Amino acid sequence: MNLSSIKQLASTKPHFIFTINFSITNSFPYFSSVKMDEFVNLEATELRLGLPGTDNVCEGRERVSCSKRALQGAAENETESSTMKTETSPPRKAQIVGWPPVRSFRKNIVQTKKNESESEGGRGLYVKVSMDGAPYLRKIDLSCYKGYSELLKALEMMFNFSAGEYFEREGYNGSEFVPTYEDKDGDWMLIGDVPWEMFVCTCKRLRIMKGSEAKGFGCDV
Amino acid sequence: MAEEDLSEMAKDVELHLKLDPPLSANNKPSRSFKTSSSSSPPPCDTSHVLENVLENVLKFLESRRDRNAVSLVCRSWYRVEAQTRSEVFIGNCYSLSPARLARRFTRVRSLFLKGKPRFADFNLMPPDWGARFAPWVAVTAKAYPWLEKVTLKRMFVTDDDLALLAASFPGFKELVLLCCEGFGTSGVAVVANKCRQLKVLDLIESEVTDDEVDWISCFPEGETHLESLSFDCVESPINFKALERLVVRSPFLKKLRTNRFVSLEELHRLMVRAPQLTSLGTGSFSSSTENAGQGEQEPDYASAFRACRSLVCLSGFRELAAEYLPAISPVCANLTSINFSYANISPDVFRPIIRNCHNVRVFWALDSICDEGLQAVAATCKELRELRIFPFDPSEDSEGPVSGLGLQAISEGCRKLESILYFCQRMTNVAVTAMSENCPQLTVFRLCIMGRHRPDHVTGKPMDDGFGAIVKNCKKLTRLAVSGLLTDKAFSLIGEYGKLIRTLSVAFAGDSDMGLRYILEGCPKLEKLEIRDSPFGDAGLRSGMHRYNDMRFVWMSSCRLSRGSCSDIARALPSVVVEVFGSDDDDVDVDEDNADYVEILYMYRSLDGPRKDAPKFVTIL
């Protein structure tokens, strides 16, 4: 096995889903070369919104909203309030090349993580929602909801119905409508039975069943 | 010995080993050399025996500084030392040619080559600048067929280079690539496949292009000699089944560092098959989404960790799912090295974990652990020697969750601290001074206040006093990186007290040429000087004329240098190579106003003159 045969082998293989090619030049999104004459007191001449003398920290940038997702734990409260501020603030001032001196490898990794968590959070887990008797389907983004109660409220508002109360044993009680979903295996399941995270991962589409078909979901199988 | 050999050697000795002109001129004449014009008589039996004895004694000498000293004793010792040195370290690949290496040292087993200067890591150097491994592998392939170990740092290595390496050294055992680039998974595959004696394959912080080659499957079948396999920087998926099989047939494997494409479930399978591991890179440390919904019983991660009784080093956590972190608890008390620097861990998640890590000596993390987390480290990790805190958000105006508070806490709790790298948004002189007083063992102090020119945030004064305290009180300091608002006073203190400093990093600091003068006139051991965006100009540069022959390199970018003074240096010091270039690799058709302005100066001593592989955008004066 030599280099050329390995390369040949590679070209016949099916493509991997991930083909991440790094280039060392400037993967960091915000930068500009700073010529020496700009070296003098950038802050005084900088244009920005806000009253003069306000703090530099927390200038608006997309990444703060990303890091809001990525951060866990106690730090969240602090960040959330600053995120609120930054959403309407102007973009941050341009970054200097190579400053702070963090290797692009580290920045890339953090970026990748942020992009991924950003996409996990708001990548749009769109699923179709149908309701028996309704003429058209709707689509909702599951990732917008934090749990079942939010989801159900949204569905109820969207289709103008009431799902009734959920009981672990009996399913939904008090309504002729039953919210169900089709999972990865093609089975129709009752919404609410599995943990939310699992639901989000396995749900393919939603269906709000009505009437006699719905009743079948009320019993223990 | 012929005259040329003598003068070559003399040059080597003079320049490379920082000696005065050859002692032979003044010493009592010994038997092995007469006047330089005649060739010396053949060595008689006694000196043969002596050389033999010396050879056997020198085999025990490993430190290169000791060996350098030995080689200065006389020519006979020089020769024997050259024949017995098996590990060669070359701190700047352009300081000599590969041919010279092969001429002097005849039996090299291990080669450590460093290429680009450190500022290249931060995109300050245009691509294709150089530091190619190709000429070195070509020469060593012929000169050292028994080469076993190659370590490269910041070198440009191609797949062809790796293929040649794999083909040329039948006994090849260890390949370590640190911060390298230019190669891909196909090059790695060739090494894996052809180097049948391979014990160590460590790819660390290198850029590895994804050639879509299943390199893990390229290791030959049967039992391997692998002791260390690190590929956490490889940003492409791997064939996990092949990795599992490889681990199973590698009974000597002690260090395994996987990349982020290895999920927690997969990691578990590896750990169960390799409980003898001492160092583990945990990959993503999160559950793969495929398994999430199946309701399978989750593997018992904690017991897998418990079974690894020899585990002392943990890293990875590339996409940490924090709820799984407590699984490492069984090994915490044994850990001596923890790298959390890719994991966004909050203080609440962090504290219960670190509470048990009494034996940690090396700790790397993100600043997301906050000052609180650092306080927890200070409370528990009494054996801490090295601390590195990286910024989660590496920008100038981010939140800054760590500060002088954390620094001071560490200094009070971790008295044995020797090395620190600390990124923060704001700092106080008081905290830095406290560290200087509490941690007398410090040899490396690197503080990066990310806001440029930022003063002490409590007093509003420059950070001069803090750094001054560091150089005054830390008497063993050999490496220093400064930041924040600094005046020339800081540099005068560094020059006055930093007598052991070998590496100095300066960015956005100082007022005038005096700052540079203080350093160059004051720090006799300075070997590596890297400066960016500071108001140091020609006068400062000239003040160091007497030093540049004794230094490994000087980097100055975006300072106030003119071509004229750089040319003067080049003229005055023929054994120093002076390179000037811009930060782009475009042809330098600069506007005339700035034609004299030097954006980047990189100069280094060299035994073999200017390099022949310089790209067009580099001018060697």
Side-chain angles (χ1 to χ4, degrees), chain A residues 91-105:
Chain A
R92 62 147 62 151
K93 62 185 186 206
Q95 290 285 308
I96 309 295
V97 174
W99 188 263
V102 175
R103 298 199 58 232
S104 45
F105 187 80

Side-chain angles (χ1 to χ4, degrees), chain A residues 1-4 6-7 9-11 13-28 33-43 46 56-59 61 63-64 66-67 69-75 78-79 82 92-110 112-114 116 120 123 184 194 197-199 201-202, chain B residues 116 121-124 127 159-160 163 179 181 186-187 189-190 193-194 205-207 209-214 218 232-233 235 237 260-261 289-290 292-295 317-320 322 339 341-344 346 348-349 364 366 368 370 390-399 423 448-453 483 507-508 532-535 558-560 583-584 594 597 599:
Chain A
M1 184 184 294
N2 60 20
L3 194 59
S4 50
I6 285 180
K7 287 192 158 150
L9 206 65
S11 62
K13 284 215 158 121
H15 276 267
F16 274 109
I17 297 168
F18 306 101
T19 310
I20 304 170
N21 264 319
F22 277 115
S23 72
I24 56 164
T25 54
N26 307 322
S27 39
F28 191 49
S33 269
V34 171
K35 294 276 185 289
M36 206 198 46
D37 32 335
E38 283 174 287
F39 176 76
V40 184
N41 201 354
L42 288 166
E43 274 139 44
E46 181 194 332
N56 230 352
V57 183
C58 301
E59 292 240 29
R61 54 191 185 279
R63 291 203 294 153
V64 177
C66 295
S67 56
R69 281 210 192 279
L71 275 174
Q72 298 149 11
E78 209 182 303
T79 334
S82 61
R92 62 147 62 151
K93 62 185 186 206
Q95 290 285 308
I96 309 295
V97 174
W99 188 263
V102 175
R103 298 199 58 232
S104 45
F105 187 80
R106 270 187 194 285
K107 282 183 185 165
N108 287 337
I109 297 298
V110 175
T112 314
K113 271 210 303 213
K114 281 183 180 159
E116 283 182 9
E120 267 157 24
R123 72 175 162 213
K184 268 194 211 165
V194 300
E197 289 78 16
M198 194 189 286
F199 165 73
C201 292
T202 55
Chain B
K116 289 180 250 184
D121 288 350
F122 314 125
N123 294 346
L124 289 181
D159 292 329
D160 289 330
C179 312
E181 50 163 357
S186 37
V190 180
N193 184 256
K194 286 265 185 85
E205 294 194 8
S206 294
E207 271 195 42
T209 51
D210 179 12
D211 301 329
E212 297 182 10
V213 170
D214 178 3
C218 293
D232 51 355
C233 60
E235 283 292 312
R260 65 183 179 91
F261 293 91
T289 46
E290 279 171 19
Q294 278 162 21
F317 307 101
R318 295 285 172 134
E319 289 160 9
L320 176 67
N339 183 350
S341 66
Y342 293 99
N344 187 4
S346 70
D348 290 342
V349 171
W364 294 20
L366 289 180
S368 59
C370 303
F390 296 95
F392 173 71
D393 183 1
S395 62
E396 282 186 75
D397 27 7
S398 59
E399 287 293 314
F423 282 86
C448 181
I449 302 169
M450 292 190 277
R452 291 167 289 139
H453 312 116
S483 60
F508 303 100
R532 65 167 292 182
D533 293 275
S534 300
S558 303
C559 296
R560 294 185 182 168
S583 52
D584 309 312
N594 277 341
Y597 170 64
E599 194 172 348

Side-chain angles (χ1 to χ4, degrees), chain B residues 120-154:
Chain B
D121 288 350
F122 314 125
N123 294 346
L124 289 181
M125 188 162 242
D128 300 329
W129 172 82
R132 284 176 232 287
F133 182 47
W136 293 91
V137 68
V139 166
T140 52
K142 297 199 184 69
Y144 309 127
W146 302 116
L147 192 66
E148 290 178 357
K149 177 173 172 179
V150 167
T151 308
L152 303 176
K153 188 165 185 180
R154 291 195 193 94

Side-chain angles (χ1 to χ4, degrees), chain A residues 73-143:
Chain A
E76 251 177 347
N77 292 338
E78 209 182 303
T79 334
E80 270 180 39
S81 52
S82 61
T83 314
M84 295 309 156
K85 268 195 280 179
T86 56
E87 248 142 47
T88 50
S89 312
R92 62 147 62 151
K93 62 185 186 206
Q95 290 285 308
I96 309 295
V97 174
W99 188 263
V102 175
R103 298 199 58 232
S104 45
F105 187 80
R106 270 187 194 285
K107 282 183 185 165
N108 287 337
I109 297 298
V110 175
Q111 275 294 90
T112 314
K113 271 210 303 213
K114 281 183 180 159
N115 289 339
E116 283 182 9
S117 58
E118 184 184 35
S119 62
E120 267 157 24
R123 72 175 162 213
L125 269 166
Y126 285 97
V127 292
K128 288 187 191 165
V129 189
S130 64
M131 177 149 120
D132 291 359
Y136 47 77
L137 305 181
R138 301 295 302 270
K139 251 197 172 163
I140 57 168
D141 179 1
L142 284 183
S143 55

Side-chain angles (χ1 to χ4, degrees), chain B residues 389-441:
Chain B
I389 300 296
F390 296 95
F392 173 71
D393 183 1
S395 62
E396 282 186 75
D397 27 7
S398 59
E399 287 293 314
V402 297
S403 68
L405 213 63
L407 190 72
Q408 187 150 355
I410 291 285
S411 77
E412 287 162 6
C414 308
R415 296 299 177 104
K416 301 184 186 177
L417 197 67
E418 293 171 2
S419 169
I420 182 166
L421 169 63
Y422 196 87
F423 282 86
C424 58
Q425 283 297 342
R426 58 200 188 281
M427 186 49 63
T428 61
N429 283 306
V430 163
V432 177
T433 305
M435 175 153 276
S436 76
E437 289 164 357
N438 293 331
C439 303
Q441 303 300 320

